[in-house]
Amino acid sequence: MSQPAAIRIRDLVKRYAPAGPRENGGEGKLALKGVSFDVPQGEIFGLLGPNGAGKSTLINILAGLVMKTSGTAEIWGFDIDSDPRNAKRAIGIVPQEIVFDPFFTPVEVLDIQAGLYGVPKAARRSLELLGQVHLSDKANAYARTLSGGMKRRLLIAKALVHQPPVIVLDEPTAGVDVELRRQLWELVSELNAQGVTVVLTTHYLEEAEQLCQRIAIINHGELIANKPTRELVEMAREKVVVVTVDKTIETCPSHAAFLKCEQAGELTLEITYDKDKTNAGEVLSLVQSMGFAIVDVSTREADLEDVFVSLTSS
Ligand code: ADP
């Protein structure tokens, strides 16, 4: 028998009540327009989309903080309507903002959270969890003395007190410096290697590309892609070849096979082509046939950003 999905979402619709009688003709904002997808067990799943796409709305529905208008959602096989208790126990949410009382110590923060979930004292794993997020040496420090990175790691530990099989991280590295971002990526990968299914929302494409096995993209409340990361990146059809030639370029050469040709320096051209229609070799022969001798060549691979821009620009 196949495993159930870690999260199963079908036809999810959310219409926020109008703030006033005139907002959107009195209809309110349609933030999710019938979204369906599965998060497979054991993966790191990226939920990507520009600001206002509906990501937080979706996460907040799963967290039980926003009421959906229609559709269904199951977490680890538990329906959020008919089995909200088990659904809630199956998921840990790491919010974007840092929220805990600055006068508690990390170990107290985790004990209190475990209490909220009804985890019996004997089953609490606060110290073990602090070890998991590399905060053992701060167990008894005041939370307000922790660095920004440590606070974020404490938030992750807090989401894990009831040992949920799925955790959701909402923009885990927003406003975080590069070093700290890498540390958080490592931590997320470690948790995943220990068997936790991870869903993360992000607008850092590099983050999604590095960490996630699968990526769903939402835009204007609609799911516009849901694919393994490799396949999604493969969808970028445009490639760029950068050519250095031996003489000053007067005008950029043009040809039907070039989607775009731009001068990037006195002797350098950047030519964009469709990899399904031609290849770098043909582009170079065309440049040569136009009277240029080629001195140097490099290519730029398309990345997730190219796909994201082309999918969300409509
Ligand atoms: P994202 O997290 O992708 O930035 P959101 O889910 O926050 O997107 O927002 C989706 C849409 O719903 C946006 O147009 C936003 O303005 C609207 N929205 C979000 N929260 C509310 C709310 N509480 N009331 C009314 N509209 C909202």
Side-chain angles (χ1 to χ4, degrees):
M1 211 177 81
S2 66
Q3 288 179 321
I7 296 176
R8 184 175 192 273
I9 288 171
R10 289 294 176 274
D11 306 317
L12 200 61
V13 172
K14 174 63 191 178
R15 185 185 288 283
Y16 285 104
R22 278 189 297 279
E23 193 199 342
N24 201 13
E27 298 238 277
K29 172 80 196 176
L30 191 54
L32 294 174
K33 301 175 182 167
V35 170
S36 302
F37 66 89
D38 285 352
V39 174
Q41 285 189 20
E43 288 198 350
I44 304 184
F45 183 97
L47 186 62
L48 230 66
N51 267 336
K55 302 182 296 296
S56 306
T57 301
L58 197 149
I59 300 299
N60 287 333
I61 291 172
L62 295 176
L65 300 172
V66 165
M67 292 278 286
K68 62 187 167 57
T69 305
S70 61
T72 60
E74 286 174 13
I75 304 164
W76 218 253
F78 302 113
D79 187 281
I80 62 167
D81 289 328
S82 61
D83 206 348
R85 214 178 135 80
N86 281 321
K88 249 194 167 129
R89 284 180 170 275
I91 197 164
I93 308 270
V94 184
Q96 212 177 321
E97 332 76 74
I98 292 172
V99 275
F100 25 65
D101 191 315
F103 294 103
F104 286 124
T105 64
V107 86
E108 287 166 342
V109 167
L110 298 187
D111 279 347
I112 292 166
Q113 184 75 3
L116 290 177
Y117 272 92
V119 180
K121 277 218 166 82
R124 291 188 192 162
R125 311 174 303 136
S126 301
L127 288 173
E128 185 191 327
L129 273 173
L130 288 173
Q132 234 178 324
V133 299
H134 311 300
L135 279 179
S136 295
D137 55 338
K138 296 285 172 187
N140 297 308
Y142 283 127
R144 71 183 146 90
T145 66
L146 302 182
S147 70
M150 291 172 183
K151 284 179 183 157
R152 278 176 198 263
R153 281 185 270 149
L154 181 55
L155 278 184
I156 295 175
K158 202 176 155 192
L160 291 169
V161 293
H162 55 297
Q163 292 185 270
V166 188
I167 62 166
V168 176
L169 298 109
D170 193 6
E171 298 273 356
T173 61
V176 151
D177 68 35
V178 177
E179 172 61 25
L180 186 49
R181 185 169 304 156
R182 301 224 164 259
Q183 281 179 20
L184 288 167
W185 289 357
E186 249 172 60
L187 179 57
V188 168
S189 301
E190 283 170 22
L191 292 173
N192 180 246
Q194 290 158 17
V196 180
T197 301
V198 180
V199 177
L200 62 94
T201 73
T202 183
H203 61 264
Y204 291 117
L205 298 165
E206 193 204 345
E207 179 159 293
E209 202 168 341
Q210 293 265 334
L211 271 183
C212 304
Q213 283 103 329
R214 177 175 280 270
I215 293 175
I217 300 181
I218 65 173
N219 195 29
H220 302 302
E222 284 175 297
L223 196 78
I224 54 171
N226 173 15
K227 284 186 186 301
T229 306
R230 275 290 112 241
E231 277 179 36
L232 200 60
V233 172
E234 270 295 302
M235 281 171 65
R237 289 182 18 237
E238 293 185 3
K239 284 199 162 189
V240 178
V241 52
V242 182
V243 190
T244 306
V245 293
D246 66 332
K247 60 177 183 207
T248 306
I249 302 155
E250 303 291 339
T251 48
C252 276
S254 73
H255 190 276
F258 302 167
L259 294 174
K260 202 164 62 184
C261 178
E262 285 175 331
Q263 198 168 339
E266 195 190 339
L267 300 173
T268 311
L269 289 169
E270 275 192 17
I271 300 169
T272 307
Y273 63 95
D274 183 334
K275 74 168 187 203
D276 291 344
K277 296 207 175 116
T278 183
N279 58 49
E282 280 178 33
V283 171
L284 294 177
S285 342
L286 284 168
V287 172
Q288 278 171 325
S289 72
M290 290 164 179
F292 294 99
I294 293 169
V295 180
D296 197 10
V297 176
S298 65
T299 54
R300 192 164 65 74
E301 280 297 319
D303 59 15
L304 190 56
E305 181 161 359
D306 298 303
V307 183
F308 187 76
V309 169
S310 68
L311 287 175
T312 57
S313 58
S314 58

